[in-house]
Amino acid sequence: VFVKSTVGNCLFQSKTVSRELPKGLNSLGIALCMRRPSSGISSAAFKCKPLRKSLIHRVCLLINKECRKLEKKSLLKKTAVSDLKHFKWNSVLKEWKKESPTFYRILKTIVAPPTISRNQTKEHLLKPIIGSAGAILLKGRNPRLSAVQHLVGLSLFLGRTRKKVKCCLHVMFL
């Protein structure tokens, strides 16, 4: 179907309103009128640059809200030695999936292409990568979310690491 312009009609109780969509939104109007699945509608919406900027802004607001939840109560705040002894990546990632699913999905997408995500055998190898990347980002947001950095420090100390390496890691904020 080739359409030069898309006209939208809205029926209200008092009257019918007819408006023409701007050129950039034509594909979105067509997707809505043809009752395409939500993936087709979102794809059409993402093609429109001003709408794409707005959608990205909304996702950023959502991630900010999710991260605020994690700042209040997170496993990454537990830095006592007894808590660090029982630290598990599965627990942290399960918390992120529940409390901040968008944040988790973005990290997982960056670390693991969809082909790896579908393959369960390789996914368990990516848990520490996803977890440590997220932990570093969250520590930048709130210094009290530092359980992973405490674990790294403890590992270096117990492994009798030389001062030179400690200084380099300190510069990297680990």
Side-chain angles (χ1 to χ4, degrees), residues 74-89 91-92 146-148 150-151 154:
S74 174
L75 295 173
L76 295 177
K77 275 188 167 182
K78 297 181 178 183
T79 56
V81 176
S82 59
D83 293 325
L84 295 176
K85 283 182 181 178
H86 302 292
F87 180 87
K88 298 213 182 296
W89 286 119
S91 304
V92 173
S146 59
V148 172
H150 277 79
L151 277 171
L154 256 166

Side-chain angles (χ1 to χ4, degrees), residues 5-152:
S5 66
T6 309
V7 177
N9 292 319
C10 295
L11 299 172
F12 296 102
Q13 288 178 349
S14 59
K15 63 181 177 179
T16 300
V17 178
S18 180
R19 299 272 192 250
E20 187 174 330
L21 289 174
K23 289 180 183 178
L25 295 176
N26 284 348
S27 61
L28 180 60
I30 292 168
L32 288 168
C33 290
M34 296 185 77
R35 296 184 181 190
R36 297 232 169 104
S38 58
S39 61
I41 294 170
S42 63
S43 178
F46 219 67
K47 287 179 185 175
C48 176
K49 286 186 181 181
L51 193 52
R52 180 188 314 178
K53 283 184 179 181
S54 179
L55 291 170
I56 291 170
H57 177 72
R58 289 284 176 190
V59 170
C60 290
L61 290 174
L62 178 63
I63 292 172
N64 185 43
K65 185 179 177 182
E66 290 178 356
C67 288
R68 274 189 271 132
K69 277 186 194 175
L70 288 176
E71 282 183 89
K72 291 178 183 173
K73 185 180 179 184
S74 174
L75 295 173
L76 295 177
K77 275 188 167 182
K78 297 181 178 183
T79 56
V81 176
S82 59
D83 293 325
L84 295 176
K85 283 182 181 178
H86 302 292
F87 180 87
K88 298 213 182 296
W89 286 119
N90 283 339
S91 304
V92 173
L93 297 181
K94 195 178 290 186
E95 176 188 56
W96 290 354
K97 284 178 188 177
K98 181 182 176 194
E99 298 295 328
S100 57
T102 311
F103 175 71
Y104 174 76
R105 266 309 274 286
I106 287 173
L107 286 174
K108 187 176 175 184
T109 301
I110 292 168
V111 172
T115 54
I116 293 175
S117 299
R118 292 185 196 119
N119 188 351
Q120 294 294 331
T121 58
K122 292 183 182 178
E123 190 173 352
H124 76 279
L125 298 173
L126 299 174
K127 287 178 183 180
I129 297 169
I130 295 168
S132 57
I136 290 169
L137 292 171
L138 289 169
K139 185 181 184 281
R141 183 182 177 95
N142 184 343
R144 289 185 288 156
L145 299 173
S146 59
V148 172
Q149 289 77 10
H150 277 79
L151 277 171
V152 169

